Amino acid sequence: MVVWTVQVIQVTFSMNFLLETLRVLVLSVYYFLEAFVKLLLPVGKKSIAGETVLITGAGSGIGRIMAIKFASMDVTLVLWDINLDGVKETARVVKEKGARSVHCYQVDCSDRGNVYQVAEQVKQEVGDVTILINNAGIVTGKKFMDSPDSLVEKTLQVNAMAHFWTYKAFLPAMMDKNHGHLVCIASSAGLIGVNGLADYCASKFAAVGFAESVALELIATGKDGIKTTIVCPYFINTGMFDGCKTKWPHLLPILQPEYVAKKILNAILTDQTYLFMPRTIYFLMFLKSFLPYKETVILGMYFGAFTFMDAFKGRQKKEN
Ligand SMILES: NC(=O)c1ccc[n+]([C@@H]2O[C@H](COP(=O)([O-])OP(=O)(O)OC[C@H]3O[C@@H](n4cnc5c(N)ncnc54)[C@H](O)[C@@H]3O)[C@@H](O)[C@H]2O)c1
């Protein structure tokens, strides 16, 4: 009897293994073909009219340009930044561009209490956020041992921890309605380490890992109406990384803010899960996954990952 039961379990297990493996193989071919077709054909864009879009770090750079791009899309805009003048200026411009409803708030995203408090205020004054764009970011720009502890902590708080708190504040309403979009503005420095950017890379790796994990949690709980987008751009000409030089501009160009904002908007409208810019980053990630370590190091040298930060000035020093 016992032998018979063990045999039944073994046969059932093999059947399950075969069926599941077959299912994965068939679906893999299907999804691969689907992705290939999407590469060749223009993908339909969803309408976001009536949505409430919150952008953190909307007081300058990519955040401001994204807000301007959303202005003509019949959405309610909620703009957050620690810099009140900056975010007010963004609000002024987006209103000029025809935005129907714009609300700006001064928020320190590194402060959990402040994020929760202003999030409550937004819910009372504007309503539930349906598209959340975590974009606020800072960079220390020093070698790790020269970075003051306070700046290391701040970088982690703004670039990564703030994402935890905004999700905690706004995700429950999205889950209730099974509707929404979470956008993480990370960086290529969240995929590949860079000499001189230890705290920044750590914060961006954290942001990517966090966004990717919550995305899986949403799939596992059947919340397929909440879309996710992780954005990993190389250097952008916004001022944040002023002074930094790219070694091979034709392979890894410094990106233009307008182009980056356009690509992010397109990724949101087409429910694209990952957006790496420029495309070379996809290839570098592929190489990183299988090349011997020493080879990745010489490739890192070749692509300039050891010298990117040598001439870093950053925005503050430029203004001074
Ligand atoms: N500029 C680049 O080369 C580059 C490359 C890859 C990724 N990114 C990322 O893109 C995002 C936008 O960068 P950007 O180039 O537009 O930079 P930016 O400096 O122009 O904009 C960042 C905004 O975040 C705000 N901010 C900073 N600390 C804050 C805080 N504690 N609370 C609330 N707001 C705060 C700033 O006031 C600013 O308006 C950042 O997350 C950045 O890390 C930038």
Side-chain angles (χ1 to χ4, degrees), residues 73-256:
M73 306 195 77
D74 195 23
V75 297
T76 296
L77 275 169
V78 181
L79 308 175
W80 280 16
D81 206 288
I82 196 167
N83 173 359
L84 188 59
D85 291 339
V87 82
K88 277 185 176 166
E89 175 58 15
T90 305
R92 187 191 66 74
V93 179
V94 293
K95 276 180 198 155
E96 241 177 49
K97 299 274 176 190
R100 70 174 170 87
S101 173
V102 186
H103 308 259
C104 56
Y105 296 85
Q106 184 173 34
V107 189
D108 179 356
C109 289
S110 71
D111 178 343
R112 175 164 48 105
N114 195 212
V115 169
Y116 284 164
Q117 178 211 326
V118 182
E120 270 317 304
Q121 208 180 327
V122 169
K123 287 182 219 170
Q124 303 282 325
E125 294 172 1
V126 187
D128 290 330
V129 167
T130 53
I131 300 180
L132 170 63
I133 306 179
N134 273 307
N135 163 75
I138 55 169
V139 60
T140 311
K142 294 181 192 300
K143 292 268 188 255
F144 174 62
M145 291 310 288
D146 300 328
S147 305
D149 293 357
S150 58
L151 272 186
V152 172
E153 274 176 357
K154 197 58 130 187
T155 303
L156 268 295
Q157 284 162 354
V158 178
N159 297 1
M161 297 308 296
H163 299 203
F164 290 53
W165 316 137
T166 53
Y167 273 39
K168 281 263 174 107
F170 298 114
L171 187 52
M174 292 187 198
M175 291 183 77
D176 282 348
K177 296 184 190 121
N178 190 20
H179 175 79
H181 203 129
L182 301 163
V183 184
C184 163
I185 308 297
S187 167
S188 55
L191 304 168
I192 301 167
V194 180
N195 172 34
L197 275 179
D199 56 351
Y200 185 79
C201 286
S203 69
K204 293 297 186 179
F205 269 75
V208 171
F210 170 69
E212 206 165 61
S213 303
V214 176
L216 293 179
E217 234 175 87
L218 290 169
I219 293 172
T221 47
K223 300 292 178 191
D224 56 353
I226 304 172
K227 308 300 177 188
T228 56
T229 299
I230 297 174
V231 182
C232 296
Y234 181 64
F235 289 130
I236 314 164
N237 189 14
T238 57
M240 187 183 204
F241 282 93
D242 255 7
C244 293
K245 297 247 172 344
T246 187
K247 198 169 161 194
W248 311 118
H250 48 294
L251 287 178
L252 283 174
I254 303 264
L255 302 163
Q256 291 310 313

